Amino acid sequence: MTDNNPNTVDLSWKRYLLPPIHPEGVKILLVFIGISFVAGLLLPFLGWIGAVLCVFCYYFFRNPDRVTPEGDSLVISPADGIVSNIKEMVPPEELDLGTEPLTRVSIFMSVFNVHVNRFPVSGTVHKMKYRPGKFVNISDKDSEDNERQEISILTPSGKKVGCIQIAGLVARRIYCPLKEGDKLEAGQRFGMIRFGSRLDVFLPKGVMPKVVLGQVMVAGETVLADLEGKQKKAEGAVK
């Protein structure tokens, strides 16, 4: 699956310096620009500070195109970031993923990562549960107190994959317009989290990740697991 014409590849400077930004970021960027303009009229140095903040805002909400590997059984990374944890644990009961421990892969996103999230597998939104929460660091904790959007996905083969958006310390702003019954393709954009966050993926029983702790992930491109294949427990996995 590709975002653009598969027969063309953009190699221009715009790909790197002027990527498109997410619609949710446009209104925030306009607010930054307005405040910076007014501040600059009052004190010029504040205008320069505002300009830097506007550039950061644009950079944070960037929404680059991605090319997703083909394969109905592939689980694709839903987020840019680093694999911060691989752990066996019982998934949230609301997601109807069973009561046995499953492998959970956590991907930590810093403020410098792309924060647009992508569907990890092709399938139907089976269950959703939103939980409000607190401002808590999420880099290396189970994060039960954080704001989160829990999603379970039913694949065409009948397997279920869990995907949980977790907001972090700086802000609690999860954007997820999905609803139960929606059908999406692997790699398709489905939401975002603002200013530092984490994505957890629960794999079906017996499916092991193809990634390891500390690996850099690219949303919509990095293969996280294969639903039809098995692999030895990933290095660094924690029970």
Side-chain angles (χ1 to χ4, degrees), residues 60 78-80 84-85 87 89 91-92 95 104-111 114-115 117 129-151 162-176 190-202:
F60 180 86
D80 282 24
S84 61
N85 204 344
K87 184 176 184 178
M89 65 180 301
L95 295 186
R104 186 196 71 184
V105 179
S106 299
I107 303 168
F108 175 72
M109 294 178 283
S110 75
V111 294
V114 174
H115 275 58
N117 304 141
K129 175 68 176 182
Y130 171 78
R131 297 176 183 270
K134 305 175 183 178
F135 292 90
V136 182
N137 189 357
I138 58 170
S139 59
D140 58 359
K141 300 179 181 179
D142 288 339
S143 312
E144 293 298 328
D145 293 330
N146 294 77
E147 178 194 14
R148 61 184 55 218
Q149 176 65 65
E150 301 171 348
I151 307 165
C163 183
I164 303 179
Q165 296 173 293
I166 307 174
L169 179 65
V170 179
R172 298 177 296 172
R173 293 294 182 271
I174 292 177
Y175 170 72
C176 181
F190 77 88
M192 71 178 303
I193 316 173
R194 300 171 188 165
F195 304 116
S197 42
R198 198 178 85 197
L199 257 290
D200 287 349
V201 177
F202 281 93

Side-chain angles (χ1 to χ4, degrees), residues 19 36 82 108 116 165 224:
S36 299
I82 295 176
F108 175 72
V116 175
Q165 296 173 293
L224 192 152

Side-chain angles (χ1 to χ4, degrees), residues 14 18 25 64 71 74 83 109 111 121 148 173 182 188 199 226 234:
K14 292 182 179 180
L18 286 177
L74 297 181
V83 177
M109 294 178 283
V111 294
V121 291
R148 61 184 55 218
R173 293 294 182 271
D182 284 349
Q188 189 173 342
L199 257 290
D226 188 339

Side-chain angles (χ1 to χ4, degrees), residues 29 45 53 55 85 87 96 172 189 226 228 236:
L29 179 59
F45 82 91
L53 292 176
V55 171
N85 204 344
K87 184 176 184 178
D96 191 26
R172 298 177 296 172
R189 300 172 178 89
D226 188 339
E228 301 301 330

Side-chain angles (χ1 to χ4, degrees), residues 68-69 74-78 118-121 186-187 218-225:
T68 302
L74 297 181
V75 181
I76 307 300
S77 177
R118 293 172 179 264
F119 228 47
V121 291
V218 179
E221 294 190 354
T222 304
V223 175
L224 192 152

